[in-house]
Amino acid sequence: MGRINKSVSTTKVTRNADGTFNFNKRADAVTAEEPLEIRLSGTTITTTMRTPGHDIELAHGFLHSEGMIKSAAEVTNARYCAGATGPDGQNTYNVLDVTPVSTVRAPGLENLRLTVTNSACGVCGSTSISQIMDKSHRPITPLKLSPELILELPNILRKEQKQFKRTGGIHAAGVFESDGTLIVAREDIGRHNAADKVIGHLMLENTLDKPGRILVMSSRASFELVQKAIMAGFSALITVSAASSLAVDLAREAGLTLVAFARDNRFNLYSGELIEQ
């Protein structure tokens, strides 16, 4: 497996009070970014730029978010392909082939993104709210959240962001019980990958069907993240940055509680209800 972060040489430049500059050459830890090609029975489904680690969780979460599988029981095998080799002839672990049960079929090529998707973009093949609602099969349990809990959950997640502390360039996703108990947290250079990893973890633990859970992201609330939260049956999505208009529309249509800008003792509630004290 590739490393989560890598050391590179850099020059740190700082300006002094008198306007002069200091130049300090040193090693710096940066977040690793490598491609992961996900295949379904040998057919390439997508290639996404990700931080190596928890790739099998990522693949399960991605296939679930795209409506291609509903549970881990629909996957018989997931393995790295030996054909992906680097300059030294060793496996790069950048191609993962998933073998589903016979009832699972890959979507038509017109619904796939077969180009490389960078870590800032999603890999959602759906383009409309109606398509998302048609694919969703897990009911969302309405959940009223207290303002105190909303502000506390990003702080708990931040304590789990070990790679962010080292590199400053990686997103995090965390799944919480309604009482604030952290279930799982994952980091990845792509916010959508981080979400897929925690969803995949719950699938592999066979606990994704438990209602009333909360997805917390260190990123903005995009359409793709709301989609993933809805497909996984989460009751709420909390992010520390902004929400997009389409994300708000989708959350309201699905009955998902959506909170954004949850930082610095404030937040915006775009969908759902609060426990008012």
Side-chain angles (χ1 to χ4, degrees), residues 42-61:
T43 299
T44 299
I45 301 300
T46 191
T47 299
T48 184
M49 302 304 295
R50 98 306 190 190
T51 301
H54 305 289
D55 290 335
I56 292 178
E57 292 180 351
L58 192 163
H60 277 75

Side-chain angles (χ1 to χ4, degrees), residues 95-122:
V95 179
L96 187 67
D97 193 25
V98 178
T99 304
V101 296
S102 59
T103 55
V104 175
R105 294 288 183 269
L109 292 179
E110 69 277 3
N111 294 324
L112 295 180
R113 291 191 182 187
L114 300 181
T115 56
V116 174
T117 304
N118 67 39
S119 55
C121 299

Side-chain angles (χ1 to χ4, degrees), residues 245-268:
S245 62
L246 197 56
V248 173
D249 292 342
L250 179 56
R252 290 175 176 175
E253 176 69 21
L256 175 77
T257 295
L258 177 60
V259 175
F261 291 117
R263 63 177 189 263
D264 302 327
N265 291 315
R266 64 180 178 86
F267 61 85
N268 288 0

Side-chain angles (χ1 to χ4, degrees), residues 51 88 92 114 206 215 218 229 277:
T51 301
D88 55 4
T92 62
L114 300 181
N206 198 31
L215 177 62
S218 66
Q277 299 176 340

Side-chain angles (χ1 to χ4, degrees), residues 10-16 20-26:
T10 184
T11 301
K12 182 179 180 180
V13 181
T14 56
R15 180 157 58 183
N16 302 314
T20 60
F21 291 90
N22 291 328
F23 301 89
N24 181 24
K25 292 186 177 181
R26 64 176 190 177

Side-chain angles (χ1 to χ4, degrees), residues 106-214:
L109 292 179
E110 69 277 3
N111 294 324
L112 295 180
R113 291 191 182 187
L114 300 181
T115 56
V116 174
T117 304
N118 67 39
S119 55
C121 299
V123 285
C124 168
S126 301
T127 56
S128 71
I129 291 177
S130 60
Q131 287 178 312
I132 300 299
M133 299 308 297
D134 289 341
K135 289 196 298 184
S136 177
H137 63 275
R138 284 188 166 86
I140 293 177
T141 302
L143 182 66
K144 288 186 177 182
L145 301 176
S146 69
E148 291 83 1
L149 181 63
I150 290 173
L151 292 174
E152 181 61 21
L153 294 187
N155 293 330
I156 297 174
L157 179 61
R158 194 171 297 114
K159 295 177 182 178
E160 301 294 321
Q161 294 179 243
K162 296 179 177 59
Q163 294 305 318
F164 179 80
K165 293 175 184 177
R166 294 186 179 98
T167 67
I170 193 167
H171 285 296
V175 178
F176 294 81
E177 300 284 11
S178 59
D179 63 359
T181 301
L182 176 64
I183 303 169
V184 59
R186 292 287 184 262
E187 291 180 283
D188 196 281
I189 196 168
R191 58 182 181 269
H192 57 282
N193 290 335
D196 281 337
K197 286 179 178 180
V198 295
I199 293 170
H201 175 84
L202 296 179
M203 292 180 68
L204 292 168
E205 293 291 317
N206 198 31
T207 60
L208 188 58
D209 286 323
K210 187 173 181 180
R213 286 176 168 172
I214 305 164

